[in-house]
Amino acid sequence: VGGVFSALYVICVIQTLGWSPALMGMTVAVGGIGSLLGTAISARLVRTVGVGKAILLGFLISALSSVFVPLASGPLWLKMASLMVAQLVGDSMAVAALIPAASLRQSVIPREMLGRAASVFFVGAGASSAVGALPGGFWGSAVGPRRARFRAGGGPVARRTGGWRWR
């Protein structure tokens, strides 16, 4: 589902909102700042709520922030703010969750298997994005990029929180 969302981001911003690639790039750059913020808040988040809940909350908040993208409307400053919030919150919380998730994997997987395990996660993430991008393009063409992105936003929430229980 993340591949659906990613595939439609450029179309949604360039075509639907009518932005230049440079303007879109400015909003995406905010995601880089968010990633740096995520590294700064990750340890505190883990200390505050624990490893499992930090992973769950980070991915959940990251996925929920994606709703700001298809909701971007109104004057340019409001559209910019909406996309920047999505990038800043989404990327910071994703990174804040990825750090303890990687640490958890490294603590439970035998040392001699860490490289193989990391490659499985890397390939799995890349493959799922690629597999999602193709139907995402078709879906965006059929219902429009804004509607497709809004509906695709619920997928990351379900995927990231599936199987997790609060303890």
Side-chain angles (χ1 to χ4, degrees), residues 1-164:
V1 175
V4 172
F5 204 74
S6 299
L8 296 173
Y9 186 81
V10 174
I11 295 168
C12 186
V13 174
I14 302 291
Q15 185 179 11
T16 306
L17 298 180
W19 288 12
S20 70
L23 198 56
M24 185 194 80
M26 288 173 47
T27 64
V28 173
V30 172
I33 296 167
S35 294
L36 292 173
L37 290 173
T39 64
I41 65 171
S42 183
R44 183 177 182 141
L45 182 63
V46 169
R47 281 193 306 271
T48 303
V49 300
V51 174
K53 288 180 184 175
I55 295 167
L56 176 66
L57 283 173
F59 284 137
L60 178 64
I61 293 169
S62 175
L64 289 173
S65 72
S66 65
V67 75
F68 286 99
V69 176
L71 292 178
S73 62
L76 179 61
W77 69 268
L78 189 57
K79 292 176 195 173
M80 284 284 286
S82 184
L83 293 182
M84 286 181 171
V85 165
Q87 290 285 340
L88 184 71
V89 173
D91 288 7
S92 65
M93 293 310 293
V95 169
L98 284 168
I99 292 169
S103 296
L104 178 63
R105 279 194 310 272
Q106 291 169 355
S107 71
V108 298
I109 295 173
R111 183 180 176 103
E112 62 276 1
M113 296 189 67
L114 283 175
R116 284 175 275 193
S119 67
V120 167
F121 276 91
F122 183 76
V123 169
S128 66
S129 290
V131 167
L134 186 60
F138 290 120
W139 192 21
S141 295
V143 300
R146 187 181 298 253
R147 180 182 284 165
R149 282 186 62 84
F150 190 73
R151 289 187 183 161
V157 173
R159 183 183 70 224
R160 303 266 195 221
T161 59
W164 285 89

